[in-house]
Amino acid sequence: MIAPLLSHIQKYVPLTHEEQEVIAQYVQCLTVKNKQYLFTEGAPCSAQYFVIEGCLRMYFIKENGVEQIIQFGIDNWWISDYTSLTLNKPSQFYLQAVQPSKLFVLKKDKQEALFEHVPKLESYFRRIYQRAYAAAQTRQIYFSDLSGEEKYHHFATRFPDFIQRIPQYMLASYLGFTPEFLSKIRAKK
Amino acid sequence: MIAPLLSHIQKYVPLTHEEQEVIAQYVQCLTVKNKQYLFTEGAPCSAQYFVIEGCLRMYFIKENGVEQIIQFGIDNWWISDYTSLTLNKPSQFYLQAVQPSKLFVLKKDKQEALFEHVPKLESYFRRIYQRAYAAAQTRQIYFSDLSGEEKYHHFATRFPDFIQRIPQYMLASYLGFTPEFLSKIRAKK
DNA sequence: CGAAAATCTTAATCATGATTAAGAAACGCA
DNA sequence: TGCGTTTCTTAATCATGATTAAGATTTTCG
């Protein structure tokens, strides 16, 4: 059950058998239905989610009422509202399944306890967050250098299988434009 | 000399006197002039920079030749191209002083050695990167929810002293619009 | 199966902010 | 002090993508 997470961790740090068991005791496995929420705006977000299967979206509601997706959670990626998690503030985001999904949940207090028992995990998360931040920097390039149409083609080329799995209006939201505009782009070919 | 960095680290993890001395041996202090580059596009970026005084800008050159600033480096903030640093790839960015500045430099190989000697620093950087990633998530809200004019007013309200210190065209670049448009906004009042 | 909900498309009009091209003002340094 | 470089402003035209509104299609689920 917990194998996918342990094997992900071991890409970064080796684990003894005992450490693996400790980890298994601190995380929960969770199966969610399509449209189920993990947390919503206004409520403090007190956990991180590791996606094994399925797909999540994290979004906020803009001033004009439109949903803006800022991240998809797919296989082997940790996702959370890190401002809320770090500073115990109410979340600014909604985290929702967009497919039936399987996750691991690591609560904030469990994470802290886990660091005491398995200090190596500080190193694991240090690397994970470093990569997440690196990815955020790279994303900024695409989002400020490409036009809407270019962003779509770039994304469709890099993740051809992923765009089949989600509704187009969600892709449009993630790419920062309207579903109508996405239709227009697609009609060109 | 190294005091500002040690005191920043100690906001997150306590340090013994010996640990402080080890750290001092692994980081270099660097004074740079206005316009001096720390790294440029194409060259691998092999260090992180901690700004004590002055101001840096990290930017890339867009397809159309325009400079796009993605981050300013100011007091007590680590700055680097984390994709280049993590994966040993050529940097996508330029990091340049926009004021005479004082920095600490932590080279990649030194950082790794430092983690061996002072494992606590894994925890420090784990927290630093977690916060950096959190800030990147929050920035996404402002950049996708606010119009150009709103971004300017928001930024001017939050950092009134900072906007006095840098040329307006750099602020425009950071906020994602042209200097001409910034002039137009300012002319309204 | 059938109805309601979810998703996608088209087209007309509109707004934000880019581009271009000047010129004006401020600053930096010899 | 003066001259060149940087920085800032104004205004006209233009393009990307938003908005609005409607209808068409597909999916879901009782």
CSV table of all heavy atoms in Angstrom, one decimal, chain B residues 20-76:
chain,number,residue,atom,x,y,z
B,20,GLN,N,28.7,27.5,14.3
B,20,GLN,CA,28.8,28.9,13.7
B,20,GLN,C,30.1,29.0,13.0
B,20,GLN,O,30.2,29.6,12.0
B,20,GLN,CB,28.6,30.0,14.8
B,20,GLN,CG,27.2,29.9,15.4
B,20,GLN,CD,27.0,31.1,16.5
B,20,GLN,OE1,27.7,32.1,16.4
B,20,GLN,NE2,26.1,30.8,17.4
B,21,GLU,N,31.1,28.5,13.6
B,21,GLU,CA,32.5,28.6,13.0
B,21,GLU,C,32.6,27.8,11.8
B,21,GLU,O,33.2,28.2,10.8
B,21,GLU,CB,33.5,28.3,14.0
B,21,GLU,CG,33.5,29.2,15.2
B,21,GLU,CD,34.8,29.3,16.0
B,21,GLU,OE1,35.6,28.2,15.9
B,21,GLU,OE2,35.1,30.3,16.6
B,22,VAL,N,32.0,26.6,11.8
B,22,VAL,CA,32.0,25.8,10.6
B,22,VAL,C,31.3,26.5,9.5
B,22,VAL,O,31.9,26.6,8.3
B,22,VAL,CB,31.4,24.4,10.9
B,22,VAL,CG1,31.3,23.6,9.6
B,22,VAL,CG2,32.1,23.6,11.9
B,23,ILE,N,30.2,27.1,9.7
B,23,ILE,CA,29.4,27.8,8.7
B,23,ILE,C,30.3,28.9,8.1
B,23,ILE,O,30.4,29.1,6.9
B,23,ILE,CB,28.1,28.3,9.3
B,23,ILE,CG1,27.2,27.1,9.6
B,23,ILE,CG2,27.4,29.2,8.3
B,23,ILE,CD1,25.9,27.5,10.4
B,24,ALA,N,30.9,29.6,9.0
B,24,ALA,CA,31.7,30.8,8.6
B,24,ALA,C,32.8,30.3,7.6
B,24,ALA,O,33.2,31.1,6.7
B,24,ALA,CB,32.3,31.5,9.8
B,25,GLN,N,33.3,29.1,7.8
B,25,GLN,CA,34.3,28.6,6.9
B,25,GLN,C,33.8,28.2,5.5
B,25,GLN,O,34.6,28.1,4.6
B,25,GLN,CB,35.1,27.4,7.6
B,25,GLN,CG,36.1,27.8,8.6
B,25,GLN,CD,36.5,26.7,9.5
B,25,GLN,OE1,36.2,25.5,9.2
B,25,GLN,NE2,37.1,27.0,10.6
B,26,TYR,N,32.5,27.9,5.5
B,26,TYR,CA,32.0,27.4,4.2
B,26,TYR,C,31.4,28.5,3.3
B,26,TYR,O,31.1,28.2,2.1
B,26,TYR,CB,31.0,26.3,4.5
B,26,TYR,CG,31.7,25.0,4.7
B,26,TYR,CD1,32.2,24.6,6.0
B,26,TYR,CD2,31.9,24.0,3.7
B,26,TYR,CE1,32.9,23.4,6.2
B,26,TYR,CE2,32.6,22.8,3.9
B,26,TYR,CZ,33.0,22.5,5.2
B,26,TYR,OH,33.7,21.3,5.4
B,27,VAL,N,31.1,29.6,3.8
B,27,VAL,CA,30.5,30.6,3.0
B,27,VAL,C,31.5,31.8,2.7
B,27,VAL,O,32.3,32.0,3.6
B,27,VAL,CB,29.2,31.2,3.6
B,27,VAL,CG1,28.1,30.1,3.8
B,27,VAL,CG2,29.4,32.0,4.8
B,28,GLN,N,31.3,32.4,1.6
B,28,GLN,CA,32.2,33.5,1.3
B,28,GLN,C,31.4,34.8,1.4
B,28,GLN,O,30.2,34.8,0.9
B,28,GLN,CB,32.7,33.5,-0.1
B,28,GLN,CG,33.4,32.2,-0.5
B,28,GLN,CD,33.5,32.1,-2.0
B,28,GLN,OE1,33.7,33.0,-2.7
B,28,GLN,NE2,33.2,30.9,-2.5
B,29,CYS,N,32.0,35.9,1.8
B,29,CYS,CA,31.4,37.2,1.7
B,29,CYS,C,31.8,37.8,0.4
B,29,CYS,O,32.9,37.7,0.0
B,29,CYS,CB,31.8,38.0,2.9
B,29,CYS,SG,31.0,39.6,3.0
B,30,LEU,N,30.8,38.6,-0.2
B,30,LEU,CA,31.1,39.1,-1.5
B,30,LEU,C,30.5,40.5,-1.6
B,30,LEU,O,29.3,40.7,-1.2
B,30,LEU,CB,30.6,38.2,-2.6
B,30,LEU,CG,30.9,38.6,-4.0
B,30,LEU,CD1,32.4,38.5,-4.3
B,30,LEU,CD2,30.2,37.6,-4.9
B,31,THR,N,31.3,41.5,-2.0
B,31,THR,CA,30.8,42.8,-2.2
B,31,THR,C,30.8,43.1,-3.7
B,31,THR,O,31.8,42.8,-4.4
B,31,THR,CB,31.7,43.9,-1.6
B,31,THR,OG1,31.8,43.6,-0.2
B,31,THR,CG2,31.2,45.3,-1.8
B,32,VAL,N,29.6,43.5,-4.2
B,32,VAL,CA,29.5,43.7,-5.7
B,32,VAL,C,29.1,45.1,-6.0
B,32,VAL,O,28.4,45.8,-5.2
B,32,VAL,CB,28.5,42.7,-6.4
B,32,VAL,CG1,29.0,41.3,-6.3
B,32,VAL,CG2,27.1,42.8,-5.7
B,33,LYS,N,29.5,45.6,-7.2
B,33,LYS,CA,29.1,46.9,-7.6
B,33,LYS,C,27.8,46.9,-8.3
B,33,LYS,O,27.4,45.8,-8.8
B,33,LYS,CB,30.2,47.4,-8.6
B,33,LYS,CG,31.5,47.7,-8.1
B,33,LYS,CD,32.4,48.3,-9.2
B,33,LYS,CE,33.9,48.1,-8.8
B,33,LYS,NZ,34.8,48.3,-9.9
B,34,ASN,N,27.2,48.0,-8.5
B,34,ASN,CA,26.0,48.1,-9.3
B,34,ASN,C,26.3,47.5,-10.7
B,34,ASN,O,27.4,47.7,-11.2
B,34,ASN,CB,25.6,49.6,-9.4
B,34,ASN,CG,24.3,49.8,-10.1
B,34,ASN,OD1,23.5,48.8,-10.3
B,34,ASN,ND2,24.0,51.0,-10.6
B,35,LYS,N,25.3,46.8,-11.2
B,35,LYS,CA,25.4,46.2,-12.6
B,35,LYS,C,26.3,44.9,-12.7
B,35,LYS,O,26.4,44.3,-13.8
B,35,LYS,CB,25.9,47.2,-13.6
B,35,LYS,CG,24.9,48.4,-13.7
B,35,LYS,CD,25.1,49.2,-15.0
B,35,LYS,CE,24.1,50.3,-15.0
B,35,LYS,NZ,24.3,51.3,-16.0
B,36,GLN,N,26.9,44.6,-11.6
B,36,GLN,CA,27.8,43.4,-11.7
B,36,GLN,C,26.9,42.1,-11.7
B,36,GLN,O,25.9,42.0,-11.1
B,36,GLN,CB,28.7,43.3,-10.5
B,36,GLN,CG,29.8,42.3,-10.5
B,36,GLN,CD,30.8,42.4,-9.4
B,36,GLN,OE1,31.1,43.5,-8.9
B,36,GLN,NE2,31.3,41.2,-9.0
B,37,TYR,N,27.4,41.1,-12.6
B,37,TYR,CA,26.6,39.9,-12.7
B,37,TYR,C,27.2,38.8,-11.8
B,37,TYR,O,28.4,38.7,-11.6
B,37,TYR,CB,26.7,39.4,-14.1
B,37,TYR,CG,25.8,40.1,-15.1
B,37,TYR,CD1,26.3,41.2,-15.8
B,37,TYR,CD2,24.5,39.8,-15.2
B,37,TYR,CE1,25.4,41.9,-16.7
B,37,TYR,CE2,23.6,40.5,-16.0
B,37,TYR,CZ,24.1,41.5,-16.7
B,37,TYR,OH,23.2,42.2,-17.6
B,38,LEU,N,26.3,38.0,-11.1
B,38,LEU,CA,26.7,36.9,-10.3
B,38,LEU,C,26.7,35.6,-11.2
B,38,LEU,O,27.6,34.8,-11.1
B,38,LEU,CB,25.8,36.7,-9.1
B,38,LEU,CG,25.9,37.6,-8.0
B,38,LEU,CD1,27.4,37.8,-7.6
B,38,LEU,CD2,25.3,39.0,-8.2
B,39,PHE,N,25.7,35.5,-12.1
B,39,PHE,CA,25.8,34.5,-13.2
B,39,PHE,C,25.0,35.0,-14.3
B,39,PHE,O,24.2,35.9,-14.2
B,39,PHE,CB,25.4,33.1,-12.7
B,39,PHE,CG,24.0,33.0,-12.1
B,39,PHE,CD1,22.9,33.0,-12.9
B,39,PHE,CD2,23.8,32.9,-10.7
B,39,PHE,CE1,21.6,32.9,-12.4
B,39,PHE,CE2,22.5,32.8,-10.2
B,39,PHE,CZ,21.4,32.8,-11.0
B,40,THR,N,25.2,34.3,-15.5
B,40,THR,CA,24.4,34.8,-16.7
B,40,THR,C,23.8,33.5,-17.4
B,40,THR,O,24.2,32.4,-17.1
B,40,THR,CB,25.3,35.5,-17.7
B,40,THR,OG1,26.4,34.6,-18.0
B,40,THR,CG2,25.9,36.8,-17.1
B,41,GLU,N,22.9,33.8,-18.3
B,41,GLU,CA,22.2,32.7,-19.0
B,41,GLU,C,23.2,31.9,-19.7
B,41,GLU,O,24.2,32.4,-20.3
B,41,GLU,CB,21.3,33.3,-20.0
B,41,GLU,CG,20.3,32.3,-20.6
B,41,GLU,CD,19.7,32.7,-21.9
B,41,GLU,OE1,19.7,34.0,-22.2
B,41,GLU,OE2,19.3,31.8,-22.7
B,42,GLY,N,23.0,30.6,-19.7
B,42,GLY,CA,23.9,29.7,-20.4
B,42,GLY,C,25.0,29.0,-19.6
B,42,GLY,O,25.4,27.9,-19.8
B,43,ALA,N,25.4,29.8,-18.6
B,43,ALA,CA,26.5,29.2,-17.7
B,43,ALA,C,25.8,28.5,-16.6
B,43,ALA,O,24.8,29.0,-16.0
B,43,ALA,CB,27.3,30.4,-17.2
B,44,PRO,N,26.3,27.4,-16.1
B,44,PRO,CA,25.7,26.7,-15.0
B,44,PRO,C,25.8,27.6,-13.7
B,44,PRO,O,26.8,28.3,-13.6
B,44,PRO,CB,26.5,25.4,-14.8
B,44,PRO,CG,27.7,25.6,-15.6
B,44,PRO,CD,27.5,26.6,-16.6
B,45,CYS,N,24.8,27.6,-12.9
B,45,CYS,CA,24.8,28.4,-11.7
B,45,CYS,C,25.1,27.4,-10.6
B,45,CYS,O,24.4,26.5,-10.4
B,45,CYS,CB,23.5,29.1,-11.6
B,45,CYS,SG,22.9,29.3,-9.9
B,46,SER,N,26.2,27.7,-9.9
B,46,SER,CA,26.7,26.7,-8.9
B,46,SER,C,26.7,27.2,-7.5
B,46,SER,O,27.4,26.6,-6.6
B,46,SER,CB,28.1,26.2,-9.3
B,46,SER,OG,28.9,27.4,-9.4
B,47,ALA,N,25.9,28.2,-7.2
B,47,ALA,CA,25.9,28.7,-5.9
B,47,ALA,C,24.5,29.4,-5.6
B,47,ALA,O,23.7,29.7,-6.5
B,47,ALA,CB,27.0,29.8,-5.7
B,48,GLN,N,24.3,29.6,-4.3
B,48,GLN,CA,23.2,30.4,-3.9
B,48,GLN,C,23.7,31.7,-3.2
B,48,GLN,O,24.8,31.7,-2.7
B,48,GLN,CB,22.4,29.7,-2.8
B,48,GLN,CG,21.7,28.4,-3.3
B,48,GLN,CD,21.2,27.6,-2.1
B,48,GLN,OE1,20.1,27.9,-1.6
B,48,GLN,NE2,21.9,26.7,-1.6
B,49,TYR,N,22.9,32.7,-3.3
B,49,TYR,CA,23.3,34.0,-2.8
B,49,TYR,C,22.4,34.5,-1.7
B,49,TYR,O,21.2,34.5,-1.9
B,49,TYR,CB,23.4,35.0,-3.9
B,49,TYR,CG,24.4,34.5,-5.0
B,49,TYR,CD1,23.9,33.7,-6.0
B,49,TYR,CD2,25.7,34.8,-5.0
B,49,TYR,CE1,24.8,33.2,-7.0
B,49,TYR,CE2,26.6,34.3,-5.9
B,49,TYR,CZ,26.1,33.5,-6.9
B,49,TYR,OH,27.0,32.9,-7.9
B,50,PHE,N,23.0,35.0,-0.6
B,50,PHE,CA,22.1,35.5,0.5
B,50,PHE,C,22.4,37.0,0.6
B,50,PHE,O,23.6,37.4,0.8
B,50,PHE,CB,22.5,34.8,1.8
B,50,PHE,CG,21.7,35.2,3.0
B,50,PHE,CD1,20.5,34.7,3.3
B,50,PHE,CD2,22.2,36.2,3.9
B,50,PHE,CE1,19.8,35.0,4.4
B,50,PHE,CE2,21.5,36.6,5.0
B,50,PHE,CZ,20.3,36.0,5.3
B,51,VAL,N,21.4,37.8,0.4
B,51,VAL,CA,21.6,39.2,0.3
B,51,VAL,C,21.6,39.9,1.7
B,51,VAL,O,20.6,39.7,2.4
B,51,VAL,CB,20.5,39.9,-0.6
B,51,VAL,CG1,20.8,41.4,-0.8
B,51,VAL,CG2,20.5,39.2,-2.0
B,52,ILE,N,22.6,40.6,2.0
B,52,ILE,CA,22.6,41.3,3.3
B,52,ILE,C,22.3,42.8,3.1
B,52,ILE,O,21.6,43.4,3.9
B,52,ILE,CB,24.1,41.3,3.9
B,52,ILE,CG1,24.7,39.9,3.9
B,52,ILE,CG2,24.0,41.9,5.3
B,52,ILE,CD1,26.2,40.0,4.1
B,53,GLU,N,22.7,43.3,2.0
B,53,GLU,CA,22.6,44.8,1.8
B,53,GLU,C,22.5,45.0,0.3
B,53,GLU,O,23.2,44.3,-0.5
B,53,GLU,CB,23.9,45.4,2.3
B,53,GLU,CG,23.7,46.7,2.9
B,53,GLU,CD,25.1,47.2,3.3
B,53,GLU,OE1,25.6,46.8,4.4
B,53,GLU,OE2,25.7,48.1,2.6
B,54,GLY,N,21.8,46.0,-0.1
B,54,GLY,CA,21.7,46.3,-1.5
B,54,GLY,C,20.5,45.6,-2.2
B,54,GLY,O,19.5,45.3,-1.5
B,55,CYS,N,20.6,45.3,-3.5
B,55,CYS,CA,19.5,44.7,-4.2
B,55,CYS,C,20.0,44.0,-5.5
B,55,CYS,O,20.8,44.5,-6.2
B,55,CYS,CB,18.5,45.8,-4.6
B,55,CYS,SG,17.0,45.2,-5.4
B,56,LEU,N,19.5,42.8,-5.7
B,56,LEU,CA,19.8,42.0,-6.9
B,56,LEU,C,18.5,41.9,-7.7
B,56,LEU,O,17.4,42.0,-7.2
B,56,LEU,CB,20.3,40.6,-6.6
B,56,LEU,CG,21.5,40.5,-5.7
B,56,LEU,CD1,21.8,39.0,-5.5
B,56,LEU,CD2,22.7,41.3,-6.1
B,57,ARG,N,18.7,41.7,-9.0
B,57,ARG,CA,17.5,41.3,-9.8
B,57,ARG,C,17.8,40.0,-10.6
B,57,ARG,O,18.9,39.8,-11.1
B,57,ARG,CB,17.1,42.3,-10.8
B,57,ARG,CG,18.1,42.7,-11.9
B,57,ARG,CD,17.5,43.6,-12.9
B,57,ARG,NE,18.6,43.8,-14.0
B,57,ARG,CZ,18.3,44.1,-15.2
B,57,ARG,NH1,17.1,44.3,-15.6
B,57,ARG,NH2,19.3,44.3,-16.1
B,58,MET,N,16.9,39.1,-10.7
B,58,MET,CA,17.1,37.9,-11.5
B,58,MET,C,16.1,38.0,-12.6
B,58,MET,O,14.9,38.3,-12.4
B,58,MET,CB,16.8,36.6,-10.7
B,58,MET,CG,17.3,35.4,-11.4
B,58,MET,SD,17.5,33.9,-10.4
B,58,MET,CE,15.8,33.3,-10.3
B,59,TYR,N,16.6,37.9,-13.9
B,59,TYR,CA,15.7,38.0,-15.0
B,59,TYR,C,16.1,37.1,-16.1
B,59,TYR,O,17.2,36.5,-16.1
B,59,TYR,CB,15.8,39.5,-15.5
B,59,TYR,CG,17.1,39.9,-16.1
B,59,TYR,CD1,17.3,39.9,-17.5
B,59,TYR,CD2,18.1,40.4,-15.3
B,59,TYR,CE1,18.5,40.3,-18.0
B,59,TYR,CE2,19.3,40.9,-15.8
B,59,TYR,CZ,19.5,40.8,-17.2
B,59,TYR,OH,20.7,41.2,-17.8
B,60,PHE,N,15.2,37.0,-17.1
B,60,PHE,CA,15.6,36.3,-18.4
B,60,PHE,C,15.2,37.1,-19.5
B,60,PHE,O,14.5,38.2,-19.4
B,60,PHE,CB,14.9,34.9,-18.4
B,60,PHE,CG,13.4,34.9,-18.6
B,60,PHE,CD1,12.9,34.8,-19.9
B,60,PHE,CD2,12.6,35.1,-17.5
B,60,PHE,CE1,11.5,34.8,-20.1
B,60,PHE,CE2,11.2,35.1,-17.7
B,60,PHE,CZ,10.7,35.0,-19.0
B,61,ILE,N,15.7,36.8,-20.7
B,61,ILE,CA,15.4,37.5,-21.9
B,61,ILE,C,14.3,36.8,-22.7
B,61,ILE,O,14.5,35.6,-23.1
B,61,ILE,CB,16.6,37.6,-22.8
B,61,ILE,CG1,17.9,38.1,-22.1
B,61,ILE,CG2,16.3,38.5,-24.0
B,61,ILE,CD1,18.0,39.6,-22.0
B,62,LYS,N,13.2,37.5,-22.9
B,62,LYS,CA,12.1,36.9,-23.6
B,62,LYS,C,12.4,36.7,-25.1
B,62,LYS,O,13.3,37.3,-25.6
B,62,LYS,CB,10.8,37.7,-23.5
B,62,LYS,CG,10.4,37.8,-22.0
B,62,LYS,CD,9.0,38.2,-21.9
B,62,LYS,CE,8.7,39.7,-22.0
B,62,LYS,NZ,7.3,40.0,-21.7
B,63,GLU,N,11.6,35.9,-25.8
B,63,GLU,CA,11.7,35.7,-27.2
B,63,GLU,C,11.8,37.0,-28.0
B,63,GLU,O,12.6,37.1,-28.9
B,63,GLU,CB,10.4,35.0,-27.7
B,63,GLU,CG,10.5,33.5,-27.5
B,63,GLU,CD,11.5,32.8,-28.4
B,63,GLU,OE1,11.7,33.1,-29.6
B,63,GLU,OE2,12.2,31.9,-27.8
B,64,ASN,N,11.1,38.0,-27.6
B,64,ASN,CA,11.1,39.3,-28.3
B,64,ASN,C,12.2,40.2,-27.8
B,64,ASN,O,12.3,41.3,-28.2
B,64,ASN,CB,9.7,40.0,-28.1
B,64,ASN,CG,9.4,40.3,-26.6
B,64,ASN,OD1,10.3,40.2,-25.7
B,64,ASN,ND2,8.2,40.7,-26.3
B,65,GLY,N,13.1,39.7,-27.0
B,65,GLY,CA,14.3,40.4,-26.6
B,65,GLY,C,14.2,41.3,-25.4
B,65,GLY,O,15.1,41.9,-24.9
B,66,VAL,N,13.0,41.3,-24.8
B,66,VAL,CA,12.7,42.1,-23.6
B,66,VAL,C,13.1,41.4,-22.4
B,66,VAL,O,12.9,40.2,-22.2
B,66,VAL,CB,11.2,42.5,-23.5
B,66,VAL,CG1,10.9,43.2,-22.2
B,66,VAL,CG2,10.8,43.4,-24.7
B,67,GLU,N,13.8,42.1,-21.4
B,67,GLU,CA,14.1,41.5,-20.2
B,67,GLU,C,12.9,41.4,-19.3
B,67,GLU,O,12.2,42.3,-19.1
B,67,GLU,CB,15.1,42.4,-19.4
B,67,GLU,CG,16.5,42.6,-20.1
B,67,GLU,CD,17.4,43.6,-19.4
B,67,GLU,OE1,16.9,44.3,-18.5
B,67,GLU,OE2,18.5,43.7,-19.9
B,68,GLN,N,12.8,40.2,-18.7
B,68,GLN,CA,11.7,39.9,-17.8
B,68,GLN,C,12.3,39.6,-16.4
B,68,GLN,O,12.9,38.5,-16.2
B,68,GLN,CB,10.8,38.8,-18.3
B,68,GLN,CG,9.8,38.3,-17.3
B,68,GLN,CD,8.6,39.3,-17.2
B,68,GLN,OE1,8.1,39.8,-18.2
B,68,GLN,NE2,8.3,39.6,-16.0
B,69,ILE,N,12.1,40.5,-15.4
B,69,ILE,CA,12.5,40.2,-14.1
B,69,ILE,C,11.6,39.3,-13.4
B,69,ILE,O,10.4,39.5,-13.4
B,69,ILE,CB,12.6,41.5,-13.3
B,69,ILE,CG1,13.7,42.4,-13.9
B,69,ILE,CG2,12.9,41.2,-11.8
B,69,ILE,CD1,13.8,43.8,-13.3
B,70,ILE,N,12.1,38.2,-12.8
B,70,ILE,CA,11.2,37.3,-12.1
B,70,ILE,C,11.3,37.4,-10.6
B,70,ILE,O,10.5,36.9,-9.8
B,70,ILE,CB,11.3,35.8,-12.6
B,70,ILE,CG1,12.6,35.2,-12.1
B,70,ILE,CG2,11.1,35.6,-14.1
B,70,ILE,CD1,12.4,33.7,-11.8
B,71,GLN,N,12.4,38.0,-10.1
B,71,GLN,CA,12.6,38.1,-8.7
B,71,GLN,C,13.6,39.2,-8.3
B,71,GLN,O,14.6,39.3,-9.0
B,71,GLN,CB,13.1,36.8,-8.2
B,71,GLN,CG,13.3,36.8,-6.7
B,71,GLN,CD,12.9,35.5,-6.1
B,71,GLN,OE1,13.6,34.5,-6.2
B,71,GLN,NE2,11.7,35.4,-5.4
B,72,PHE,N,13.3,39.9,-7.3
B,72,PHE,CA,14.3,40.8,-6.7
B,72,PHE,C,14.9,40.1,-5.5
B,72,PHE,O,14.2,39.4,-4.7
B,72,PHE,CB,13.7,42.1,-6.2
B,72,PHE,CG,13.3,43.0,-7.4
B,72,PHE,CD1,12.0,43.2,-7.7
B,72,PHE,CD2,14.3,43.6,-8.2
B,72,PHE,CE1,11.6,44.1,-8.7
B,72,PHE,CE2,13.9,44.4,-9.2
B,72,PHE,CZ,12.6,44.7,-9.5
B,73,GLY,N,16.2,40.3,-5.3
B,73,GLY,CA,16.9,39.7,-4.1
B,73,GLY,C,17.2,40.9,-3.1
B,73,GLY,O,17.9,41.8,-3.5
B,74,ILE,N,16.5,40.8,-2.0
B,74,ILE,CA,16.8,41.9,-1.0
B,74,ILE,C,17.2,41.2,0.3
B,74,ILE,O,17.4,40.0,0.4
B,74,ILE,CB,15.6,42.9,-0.8
B,74,ILE,CG1,14.3,42.1,-0.7
B,74,ILE,CG2,15.6,43.9,-2.0
B,74,ILE,CD1,13.2,43.0,-0.3
B,75,ASP,N,17.2,42.1,1.3
B,75,ASP,CA,17.7,41.7,2.7
B,75,ASP,C,17.2,40.3,3.1
B,75,ASP,O,16.0,40.1,3.2
B,75,ASP,CB,17.3,42.7,3.7
B,75,ASP,CG,15.9,43.2,3.4
B,75,ASP,OD1,15.6,43.6,2.3
B,75,ASP,OD2,15.1,43.1,4.4
B,76,ASN,N,18.1,39.5,3.5
B,76,ASN,CA,17.8,38.2,4.2
B,76,ASN,C,17.0,37.2,3.3
B,76,ASN,O,16.0,36.6,3.8
B,76,ASN,CB,17.0,38.4,5.5
B,76,ASN,CG,17.9,39.0,6.6
B,76,ASN,OD1,19.1,39.3,6.3
B,76,ASN,ND2,17.4,39.2,7.7
